[in-house]
Amino acid sequence: MGKVPIVNRFAVMTDFWSHFPPQNTRTHEACGLSAPAFAAALAGHLCGANGKTVFWLRESWQNAQLNPVGFASYLDPKQLLIAQAARQIDALAAAEEALRSGHIALVVIELSQGIGLTEGRRLQLAAQEGGATGLCLLSEEMGSNAAQTRWRCTPVFDPNEAAVDSTLQNWEIIKNKSGTLTNWNVGWHAQTRRINVVSKSAQR
Amino acid sequence: MRKRVVSMWFPNLPSDRVVRAGALNGDDTGPFVVTHHAKNTDRIYCLNNAAAAQGLHRDMGFSDARAYCPDLQSCPADPIADARFLHMLARWGKRYCPWVGVDGSDGLLLNIAGSAHLFGGEDAMLNDMRHRLTHAGVQGRVAVADTRGAAWALTHFGQRAQGEDIAHLPVAALRLDTKTDATLQRLGLRNISDLIALPRATIARRFGPDVVLRLDQATGARDEDISPLKDAPNYGVRMTLPDPIGLSGDVMAGAERLLERLCAKLKDQDMGARKLQLHLRRVDQGAQIVELRLAAPMRDAARILPLFERGVDEVDAGYGIDQIRLTAIQVEPLPKAQITHGVATRTQGIDDLITRIGNRIGLDNIHRFLPADSHIPERSFQIAAAAYSRAEGAWAALRPRPLQLFAPEPIAGAGARPPQHFRWRRMALTVGHATGPERIAPEWWLADDNWRSGLRDYWKVDTVQGRRLWLYYTPQNPGWFVQGEFA
């Protein structure tokens, strides 16, 4: 093989911060195993400093429970509101209402079934009106074409023995309406509540 | 105008209340007692006539009572419900006169001056009271006198045949405390007439001003007021229309006028509405009801009105609506607050949002997390309805905790260290790093079925496949489980 490409760490970071946080007043999608972590990191990034509220919608039958003690390393759970809807249609209606209200910075919607273009577009319009960011968490094939970006988030094993509390993940943009598709390895630094972008050359 | 005071005394109010509510199984004429727990034992708080006939009495130990009377039925005392029942009786008393006051925990006072003739005189009125109380199953003693003190004395100590004279009644009828009563008895002052015969200065010097005061209040030398109960404020307003309306804009305009009136009423009382009902009567006598549950007590018409929009849009007006009624079904105290800049509007906006979403998915389905003081992972937080709680408390995690928790899922494994390879949710996983153990002991003071297996040693496991799981091992009942997933 050829030479290992030397990636400038600074360039990686600038590249990342030009894509993250994803554009406000739009809705985005995240899939993959680390999608909840992506949502939590986004919540921490958007609302950690300004004390705004994050609205997290889920369907009531889901048995996995968001753990506020774990969530506290991303964002103060005081700023979190959880809503449980019996049906997806109710969850979408509530999400639209929350996006439009203008008092919520980020609305996270956990979806178990795909949404159509109409629903996706309605969420976009609501986000635009309320000046909020929407994020749908769903499985990979279920996305709607109306989403601005789609991120695939997967946890990455960190072979470095010292990294006991590693949160290393791979965030990959797999759909982008205005921009390129790239991916980064990132981690969450719990003490400073910041995202660490890890240059990939360091990983190899 | 001369006062005429009726005193009602319900000696067995607690037991009558329970019997009336039909809480007893089977025969409700048998011996029955209400018990309360005091000084580490159950004692009789109140008993019915059948129980008194068996030789039971108040303050008797409940276990003794059961030994005397094996078929005794019982029920724990509920003073709050008793007080509520007494207030219900006070409301009933308003059929006789508008001045009804509550006397202690088991009596009523009515000033019937000027209203007795409506019932055919005082005797007929008292008989009517007695008749209705008996019919309702409430044991009560009723007497009338010129003063509150005398009426009280007659109900508690008088005989019906002896008229309104209280001079022959024992001194205890003057509403004295037991200590003063005992002293008077010891000195041979048994009846009120004995006390009247003494010079006033002597009584005051020997027993303090209280006895003279009570005596004066009973004889009418000093006035004593009855403080009547206030009517509960009615938070309802309505509007009848000359012509039926059908457009939702018209209904909203009507609702707006009603809301302004209702909110003014709420403001006077320092209350806020928690649950509102808009009742729309149609010309065909049908009724449409729009309910609104609010996330916080509110009395701001301009904020409440838009919240009604969704419900009003769904109303079927039929041939038109000719009466609108708006009621605050549930109200909560809402004191006046300092108006501050910024913060208040933000929480108000979120409260309105919770209301709007809550009326769609149910107000109880919107939660927030509150910290709880426990090391048990699933009990280290509480889930509270956002509408009925405030975001407060500090969150602290001494050790890393997973972002998601689920019910423990067993995996195959043996030994105190995490297995190198395991299968979970049909995935083959290999352990890269394992951090632990962190031992958490069950809270023995709480019975929790999930913690029956005893101690847990928690491990944070980074798998080579990427997933970071929270495993635990139960050394007392060897087994491995997955309970959570880290970011």
Side-chain angles (χ1 to χ4, degrees), chain A residues 12-195:
Chain A
V12 171
M13 281 182 64
T14 352
D15 184 39
F16 176 76
W17 291 114
S18 69
H19 287 83
F20 190 92
Q23 193 186 344
N24 193 19
T25 71
R26 308 293 291 172
T27 57
H28 307 267
E29 288 177 359
C31 59
L33 293 172
S34 287
F38 178 79
L42 182 59
H45 184 81
L46 289 178
C47 311
N50 56 16
K52 283 190 173 175
T53 305
V54 175
F55 206 80
W56 196 299
L57 280 149
R58 50 204 340 251
E59 284 177 55
S60 42
W61 52 268
Q62 284 179 333
N63 60 354
Q65 158 86 50
L66 194 68
N67 181 17
V69 187
F71 190 82
S73 62
Y74 291 90
L75 179 70
D76 192 338
K78 274 181 210 170
Q79 289 164 250
L80 183 66
L81 281 177
I82 303 273
Q84 290 192 325
R87 294 172 302 155
Q88 177 154 320
I89 189 91
D90 287 335
L92 289 170
E96 205 181 331
E97 196 77 74
L99 282 168
R100 190 164 279 141
S101 73
H103 299 279
I104 301 286
L106 173 68
V107 179
V108 181
I109 316 145
E110 286 185 29
L111 294 175
S112 57
Q113 286 161 21
I115 54 171
L117 205 53
T118 319
E119 291 87 349
R121 184 75 192 131
R122 283 189 69 142
L123 290 178
Q124 288 288 16
L125 290 173
Q128 206 166 357
E129 205 174 305
T133 308
L135 180 67
C136 301
L137 307 184
L138 28 71
S139 316
E140 195 152 333
E141 302 85 32
M142 297 190 317
S144 129
N145 250 344
Q148 180 75 13
T149 55
R150 188 171 306 136
W151 298 65
R152 185 195 288 141
C153 312
T154 39
V156 175
F157 177 62
D158 192 347
N160 184 2
E161 196 66 47
V164 281
D165 285 341
S166 162
T167 51
L168 192 67
Q169 297 159 31
N170 184 267
W171 290 357
E172 184 184 3
I173 299 184
I174 55 173
K175 172 186 190 284
N176 194 347
K177 275 194 172 177
S178 54
T180 49
L181 306 183
T182 37
N183 72 93
W184 306 270
N185 277 357
V186 297
W188 179 260
H189 194 249
Q191 274 81 43
T192 52
R193 286 189 177 163
R194 275 190 64 86
I195 295 171

